[in-house]
Amino acid sequence: MSRNRRGLDNLDREIQNHIEEEIRDNIDRGMAPGTARQAALRAFGNITLVKEDVRAVWIPVWLDQIFQDARYGLRFFRNNPGFTTLATMMLALGIGVNAAVFTLTNTVLFTGFPQVNGNDRILYISGPGGVSWPDYQDWRAQAKSFDDIAVVGELPVSLSDRSGFAESYIATRVSANAFHLVGQRPLLGRDFAMSDEIPGAAPVAILSYAFWEHRYGKDRTVIGRTVRMNSASTTVIGVIPQGFTFPQRQDLWVPVVPTPDLQKREARNLWFVFGRMSEGVTIKSARAEMVTIGKRLESAYPLTNQGYLPEPRTFAESFFGLNAIRMYESIWGAVGFVLLIACANLANLLLVRAAGRSREISIRIALGAGKWRIIRQLLLESVMLSGLGGILGWWIARLGVELYQVVVTPPSWFDHVLDYRMDYRVLGYLIAISIGTGLLFGLAPAIRLSKLDVNGTLKDGGRGATGGGRGRRISGLLVIGEMALALVLLACAGVMVRSFMNEYSADVGVKTANVVTMLLKLPDAKYPNLETQVSFFDRLMVRLQEIPGVESIALADSLPTYSTRRLPYELASDPPTDELRRPKLSALVISPSYFQTLGATVVSGREFNDADRVAVTPVVIVNQRFARKYWPGEDPLGKRLRLFDGKTPEAWRTVVGVVSNIVQFGRSRPELDDLIYLPYRQKKPAFMNVIVRTRISPAAFGTAIRQGVQALDSDLPISYYMSLAERLSWVYALNRSLAALFLIFAAIALLLASVGLYAAIAHSVSQRTQEIGIRMALGATWRDIHKLVLSQEMVPVGIGLIIGLAATLAVVPLLRSQLVGVSPFDPITLGVASATLILCAIVGAFIPAHRAKRVDPVAAVRHE
Amino acid sequence: MSTKGEGDRIELLQGTLDVLILRTLLAGPTHGHAIAKTIQRTSDDVLEVEQGSLYPALHRLLKRGWIAVEDGTSENNRRAKFYRLTTKGRKQLVVETTKWDKLAAAIARILRPAGHDPRL
């Protein structure tokens, strides 16, 4: 068939040849050349018709008609450049913004971890605080929902090789099956083997591509080379392909070796477990199975696993959290509203155009065009418009995504999972909304035009389409819709922005100016006990204090707004508690001058001092909230409490100070936590944040502080060296970017809605020029005209406002979980949003009314 | 061209052109103009084919796969498209011919019953 279709090629030449042969025949028979040509042409018949008939054999008529309609549409666009440009721009903006947001949403919600095979089958499992090696082993042995599960944990390393220069790198511990599970194979060398994770096995490491490139200049002989990592001789066995990093942005991977400290069930030092679901397993059934296993372990090991249930999550849930998912969904909804507003504007624009086209359409109907043919042609035109908008929208989306990446920089430990790729899903979405939009905004005007009263229209010069009550009704509906949509969006954006501002300005309880922090983790091998660690930190504090310009230094195992460890405890004033039901409290391990360095206040008693050591009386500081909760109306100083190390009670501690509240566990939560603080010389911390307050901007101190650390231990890695403000901003980085997005879309929606409202109302008023002229001729004053226009044009505006307010009340509560310190029904936001839209409507009504007043009544009456 | 007067010529019935083309191509592959000429000549110029209407018919046959097209050179040394009967087309020609014979016979029986005045 397709071979035969070649018959269509060169049809012109074939016909030409045919006619020339005929002419030759005719001449051979004795005709004169001129006559011969005429006779040949006559014998052949209508050439154009023949060609059309031949085409019709191959190409169905409807397809041909569509081509015809498309050509017709293009001509219409060419003849109406202003309309076409305006419509295309509006559509491009609406579609582009939608595609851009979908690109973000797609990355977060649908694509999964970049470069992982079969992303949607991978679940990430963890419990409160992380995962312990024994729990992981039990899950792996018992879970039937997964083909395989692997585990991941952090490991700060310091690495030195022949150059002898130690640098700290970010490494991750993974179980030997991890790469196999995510479908990655080393580019060079070999993958981890099960034998690598047996205690006592020769230490090995796999390098990331970036690390291989920047430290070894892509030297292939690096495989088999020995490096010193955390003072142990480690063999490089592989390099992972470019672009892959899991689960964080890191330099190398080492196998998890279950050393004695990992073997404890309560040591939840590993980050998470991830598994590939088996064939036929759903997320729901996998969740159910893990809960069952968790409950089994809970009853088998009540002391360590009480209340600890593994929770399998999808990529989005695990890496971004439910809140973020809701946020992305709501933003997606928000831009959907933007597109709907653009649709309403377009529909209105087309209705206005319909006035000019009703004559042309009437003639077509009069000449026999069917109703469907007309609707089809008009819909094709609107889809062509939205298609054009979609093509431009693709570029707007690309630009938008690029801009978003420049403006909203995710924290560096997070950006590798955000691969904003405009893949086939984005393209499909863009095509779908482009076509959908075209049909949506084109339908009402097309149906309207197809029902034209042909006689009337042809007689009265083409006013039939929009002059009548029906046209006004559609335009009124559009105003109502636009008003309602814009109001919902503005109100949502308003509460989001207000909520973010609350979050941003929330008082954490510390002064962040001129404070820098860094994270130090002392390796167990070198600092096995409290004494060696305390001795290191003591020397460090002295050393850093000597740097000129440093005001004070403190240590803490957590920072404000971050989570803290939770420890079982008992109050001396309360009856003893049951071993299994012992309550836990939040505790920070800190050094002297912690509160001074952070700018918090000691309300009564004292800070810790250098005398608070193991040998002397154990002490504790509580915050005001703790004091108020447990000893209301009493003096907390001198009260006693004790903590438990597993089952073993520690010595009783005496409260020596009460301090102002500092927020932990997330920013700006309405409930402040009751906290206790322990001196670091009396409680061994896992790792320490060093907090340095300087007299001037800390930017200049970077080298001196790093050198201070390296002078004490040149192998010690320093992580997260940055200002406290920056460290704290991580907590709300996501909300900040989402609030910004909401604001941008609300601005676009407001712009589109104002233009749309203005245009719809202005058109509606300008339709009444004649009527206004007559009224004025009959003695109406300008006041009367104003009153008339306002009272009638504001009816749909008012209805839209009421519907919009009702819809807002229905929609905004969906955002409740993301709101901080602002009611979903924030009256200020609703008021400002309504007022803005009403203003646009009034301006839209007044300008044409004013223009109408200037019209000479006589001319207006004669206008038709 | 035609040696007969206007009154002696018969317009082609709908669909008959197709079977005439197939029959013409039975003699071997040829180009469009030759097909038109052959039909005219072999019917003693009785059948009037508007030459242009040949082409839609040829394409209909191509689409059904009854004939095929290939490039060739005409007797005047011009490059031309040559149409050729396919096996499918050959079978179809038998079917169509049988149909025509039956139709012609049936019409003849109605128009000239036995014993009727042959002059009518």
Side-chain angles (χ1 to χ4, degrees):
Chain A
M1 169 105 167
S2 63
R3 217 171 66 86
N4 287 342
R5 232 178 132 145
R6 280 186 323 173
L8 265 183
D9 308 340
N10 305 324
L11 183 64
D12 283 332
R13 216 183 61 201
E14 192 177 14
I15 292 174
Q16 211 49 53
N17 281 350
H18 181 113
I19 290 167
E20 278 167 26
E21 297 263 357
E22 184 72 15
I23 294 171
R24 199 185 308 262
D25 273 13
N26 289 348
I27 291 174
D28 285 353
R29 289 190 213 173
M31 282 192 200
T35 332
R37 177 168 201 89
Q38 275 175 13
L41 286 173
R42 198 165 49 239
F44 193 85
N46 186 337
I47 296 177
T48 317
L49 204 63
V50 166
K51 283 199 273 193
E52 264 181 28
D53 285 350
V54 170
R55 276 176 58 80
V57 171
W58 297 110
I59 299 163
V61 179
W62 60 267
L63 198 65
D64 229 29
Q65 284 182 352
I66 284 195
F67 277 122
Q68 243 174 37
D69 288 350
R71 270 200 302 276
Y72 192 80
L74 282 180
R75 204 183 318 147
F76 174 73
F77 297 154
R78 230 187 354 256
N79 294 338
N80 296 274
F83 163 80
T84 310
T85 313
L86 185 64
T88 312
M89 298 288 274
M90 238 189 280
L91 283 164
L93 195 61
I95 295 173
V97 165
N98 263 273
V101 165
F102 184 74
T103 308
L104 309 184
T105 314
N106 180 35
T107 299
V108 171
L109 301 188
F110 306 123
T111 5
F113 201 98
Q115 297 198 26
V116 167
N117 287 346
N119 255 312
D120 50 340
R121 301 299 294 165
I122 297 216
L123 291 184
Y124 303 81
I125 314 161
S126 195
V131 179
S132 72
W133 178 262
D135 280 343
Y136 158 65
Q137 290 295 329
D138 287 334
W139 295 352
R140 191 161 184 228
Q142 296 178 27
K144 300 205 170 39
S145 301
F146 300 92
D147 287 343
D148 196 7
I149 67 176
V151 71
V152 170
E154 189 190 28
L155 180 72
V157 295
S158 137
L159 183 125
S160 57
D161 46 23
R162 270 182 307 194
S163 66
F165 178 59
E167 278 184 74
S168 73
Y169 290 101
I170 302 172
T172 299
R173 294 189 279 191
V174 296
S175 51
N177 58 346
F179 288 116
H180 179 73
L181 214 154
V182 295
Q184 282 288 336
R185 206 166 281 172
L187 177 74
L188 284 181
R190 67 168 177 93
D191 195 354
F192 293 128
M194 290 313 277
S195 56
D196 294 327
E197 64 176 44
I198 297 168
V204 291
I206 291 182
L207 312 183
S208 76
Y209 190 93
F211 181 65
W212 179 51
E213 187 174 31
H214 113 258
R215 188 163 174 126
Y216 295 105
K218 297 203 209 176
D219 180 0
R220 296 181 148 261
T221 65
V222 75
I223 304 295
R225 202 181 286 182
T226 313
V227 294
R228 289 193 65 75
M229 194 189 296
N230 289 351
S231 319
S233 170
T234 306
T235 312
V236 174
I237 59 162
V239 175
I240 273 301
Q242 193 163 18
F244 183 75
T245 182
F246 181 93
Q248 56 173 349
R249 187 175 285 291
Q250 67 218 4
D251 305 305
L252 28 89
W253 292 267
V254 297
V256 186
V257 179
T259 48
D261 62 314
L262 270 186
Q263 297 278 18
K264 288 187 219 149
R265 201 170 278 277
E266 66 272 21
R268 303 213 151 90
N269 292 331
L270 299 167
W271 277 340
F272 61 84
V273 159
F274 61 104
R276 185 176 293 280
M277 283 188 282
S278 309
E279 199 82 24
V281 172
T282 62
I283 295 177
K284 214 175 147 195
S285 66
R287 279 197 177 130
E289 190 191 17
M290 288 314 294
V291 168
T292 313
I293 293 173
K295 289 211 168 117
R296 208 179 294 150
L297 294 177
E298 201 175 21
S299 49
Y301 311 100
L303 214 54
T304 54
N305 285 39
Q306 182 77 46
Y308 181 83
L309 288 180
E311 193 184 343
R313 295 175 175 168
T314 62
F315 166 75
E317 290 165 348
S318 164
F319 282 75
F320 304 99
L322 273 177
N323 247 2
I325 293 176
R326 294 283 158 280
M327 286 291 269
Y328 275 97
E329 284 169 351
S330 40
I331 284 206
W332 196 8
V335 292
F337 277 43
V338 172
L339 193 58
L340 284 179
I341 291 173
C343 274
N345 279 357
L346 257 294
N348 187 56
L349 211 54
L350 283 178
L351 274 177
V352 175
R353 295 292 332 164
R357 295 191 78 177
S358 52
R359 201 179 168 81
E360 159 209 338
I361 301 287
S362 301
I363 292 171
R364 294 191 53 154
I365 295 174
L367 291 177
K371 180 173 152 192
W372 289 113
R373 185 78 205 274
I374 298 285
I375 293 183
R376 198 174 68 189
Q377 185 210 328
L378 292 172
L379 280 184
L380 185 73
E381 272 175 29
S382 44
V383 171
M384 278 167 75
L385 263 186
S386 62
L388 211 60
I391 292 168
L392 283 179
W394 177 263
W395 294 102
I396 291 184
R398 282 186 64 143
L399 207 72
V401 171
E402 260 166 45
L403 204 67
Y404 176 80
Q405 279 173 291
V406 172
V407 176
V408 184
T409 30
S412 57
W413 46 268
F414 210 51
D415 57 357
H416 65 285
V417 296
L418 299 169
D419 181 10
Y420 297 123
R421 185 186 302 241
M422 295 182 72
D423 60 3
Y424 68 96
R425 284 196 197 86
V426 177
L427 185 65
Y429 178 75
L430 181 109
I431 292 174
I433 59 169
S434 296
I435 295 175
T437 317
L439 294 177
L440 190 63
F441 72 74
L443 203 58
I447 291 175
R448 178 97 197 93
L449 273 175
S450 73
K451 285 187 183 157
L452 273 182
D453 167 21
V454 176
N455 280 331
T457 311
L458 289 178
K459 262 189 268 166
D460 83 351
R463 301 214 99 214
T466 51
R470 277 187 64 97
R472 282 267 284 287
R473 201 149 64 229
I474 294 184
S475 147
L477 283 175
L478 289 175
V479 169
I480 292 174
E482 214 155 330
M483 195 70 201
L485 288 171
L487 186 62
V488 173
L489 196 45
L490 278 183
C492 289
V495 291
M496 285 307 300
V497 171
R498 274 179 55 94
S499 151
F500 174 71
M501 279 161 59
N502 284 344
E503 187 173 8
Y504 183 74
S505 58
D507 186 11
V508 170
V510 298
K511 298 192 177 74
T512 56
N514 291 350
V515 177
V516 280
T517 67
M518 61 185 160
L519 184 70
L520 295 180
K521 184 163 185 179
L522 301 183
D524 282 342
K526 210 164 173 180
Y527 303 91
N529 50 36
L530 184 62
E531 287 73 47
T532 47
Q533 297 199 356
V534 166
S535 131
F536 172 82
F537 284 122
D538 281 351
R539 280 180 293 138
L540 180 70
M541 303 257 289
V542 171
R543 180 136 204 144
L544 296 183
Q545 192 74 67
E546 282 167 0
I547 298 173
V550 167
E551 195 178 307
S552 66
I553 296 168
L555 306 170
D557 67 345
S558 177
L559 288 172
T561 74
Y562 285 78
S563 52
T564 71
R565 61 164 92 188
R566 308 259 310 156
L567 300 169
Y569 76 103
E570 208 169 72
L571 296 183
S573 50
D574 286 3
T577 44
D578 176 49
E579 178 176 289
L580 291 180
R581 309 216 187 305
R582 211 159 266 148
K584 291 182 173 181
L585 51 66
S586 307
L588 266 83
V589 176
I590 59 167
S591 72
S593 66
Y594 174 77
F595 301 103
Q596 183 203 333
T597 308
L598 286 179
T601 326
V602 178
V603 180
S604 62
R606 62 168 174 91
E607 277 217 45
F608 293 132
N609 59 35
D610 290 343
D612 297 320
R613 290 175 176 275
V614 180
V616 299
T617 335
V619 289
V620 63
I621 291 176
V622 300
N623 70 356
Q624 284 177 303
R625 191 178 154 80
F626 190 97
R628 212 161 290 154
K629 183 170 166 188
Y630 294 98
W631 303 295
E634 297 175 59
D635 180 11
L637 295 183
K639 298 275 184 199
R640 295 193 311 153
L641 59 85
R642 69 176 173 182
L643 304 168
F644 293 82
D645 184 7
K647 274 180 276 191
T648 335
E650 294 180 355
W652 288 99
R653 291 174 183 271
T654 310
V655 175
V656 294
V658 179
V659 293
S660 59
N661 294 324
I662 295 176
V663 175
Q664 305 285 163
F665 299 101
R667 241 182 130 83
S668 64
R669 294 179 321 134
E671 295 268 305
L672 285 168
D673 286 284
D674 34 296
L675 294 170
I676 65 161
Y677 296 91
L678 307 169
Y680 81 101
R681 293 189 182 100
Q682 292 179 351
K683 185 86 187 167
K684 184 181 158 204
F687 40 80
M688 273 297 193
N689 291 286
V690 181
I691 307 162
V692 183
R693 176 176 289 277
T694 53
R695 290 199 177 81
I696 52 168
S697 163
F701 293 86
T703 323
I705 292 175
R706 280 170 189 275
Q707 274 170 354
V709 176
Q710 305 243 307
L712 293 180
D713 183 344
S714 55
D715 284 341
L716 192 66
I718 297 174
S719 327
Y720 307 133
Y721 181 90
M722 60 182 74
S723 74
L724 181 62
E726 191 179 351
R727 211 47 217 282
L728 300 194
S729 76
W730 284 5
V731 176
Y732 59 78
L734 189 68
N735 279 5
R736 176 178 52 192
S737 59
L738 292 175
L741 281 180
F742 250 107
L743 198 62
I744 292 170
F745 302 142
I748 294 175
L750 182 63
L751 181 77
L752 286 177
S754 336
V755 171
L757 278 177
Y758 172 80
I761 293 173
H763 176 68
S764 164
V765 173
S766 70
Q767 289 277 304
R768 308 173 68 174
T769 307
Q770 190 186 7
E771 177 198 335
I772 292 173
I774 293 171
R775 281 176 190 271
M776 296 203 44
L778 293 177
T781 62
W782 290 8
R783 260 182 95 91
D784 298 331
I785 300 296
H786 278 173
K787 242 159 90 183
L788 171 83
V789 166
L790 273 189
S791 65
Q792 296 195 357
E793 299 303 332
M794 289 300 132
V795 168
V797 172
I799 297 174
L801 205 63
I802 291 165
I803 295 178
L805 283 173
T808 305
L809 297 189
V811 168
V812 175
L814 300 178
L815 296 175
R816 195 189 290 271
S817 63
Q818 279 108 54
L819 297 182
V820 175
V822 54
S823 151
F825 313 114
D826 179 37
I828 298 175
T829 313
L830 287 176
V832 170
S834 317
T836 313
L837 290 170
I838 291 174
L839 195 70
C840 292
I842 291 179
V843 172
F846 265 101
I847 291 181
H850 265 275
R851 219 179 291 143
K853 283 180 327 203
R854 268 184 245 115
V855 170
D856 174 13
V858 182
V861 175
R862 285 207 192 125
H863 177 60
E864 300 289 308
Chain B
M1 48 188 284
S2 171
T3 50
K4 308 241 164 168
E6 288 296 312
D8 299 329
R9 291 169 67 179
I10 298 168
E11 267 197 51
L12 221 46
L13 281 170
Q14 185 80 42
T16 44
L17 186 54
D18 291 7
V19 72
L20 293 184
I21 293 173
L22 292 179
R23 179 66 186 80
T24 311
L25 289 179
L26 194 59
T30 189
H31 55 88
H33 183 252
I35 297 170
K37 283 287 144 187
T38 311
I39 291 174
Q40 252 173 7
R41 212 166 33 245
T42 48
S43 73
D44 286 339
D45 289 329
V46 170
L47 294 181
E48 184 189 27
V49 180
E50 193 172 62
Q51 293 181 7
S53 64
L54 192 67
Y55 289 92
L58 280 170
H59 282 268
R60 264 197 306 278
L61 297 176
L62 274 175
K63 194 179 178 188
R64 289 178 195 150
W66 295 348
I67 62 172
V69 66
E70 51 212 21
D71 290 327
T73 316
S74 74
E75 50 273 32
N76 298 324
N77 253 347
R78 282 174 170 279
R79 277 187 50 218
K81 279 188 181 146
F82 273 64
Y83 297 90
R84 169 175 66 74
L85 203 57
T86 60
T87 328
K88 214 169 143 192
R90 225 172 268 275
K91 281 181 198 149
Q92 192 60 31
L93 179 58
V94 177
V95 174
E96 298 284 325
T97 313
T98 322
K99 231 161 71 183
W100 268 105
D101 286 347
K102 279 185 186 159
L103 185 63
I107 291 172
R109 269 198 302 277
I110 295 164
L111 294 180
R112 297 180 193 285
H116 201 275
D117 183 357
R119 278 171 308 174
L120 194 100

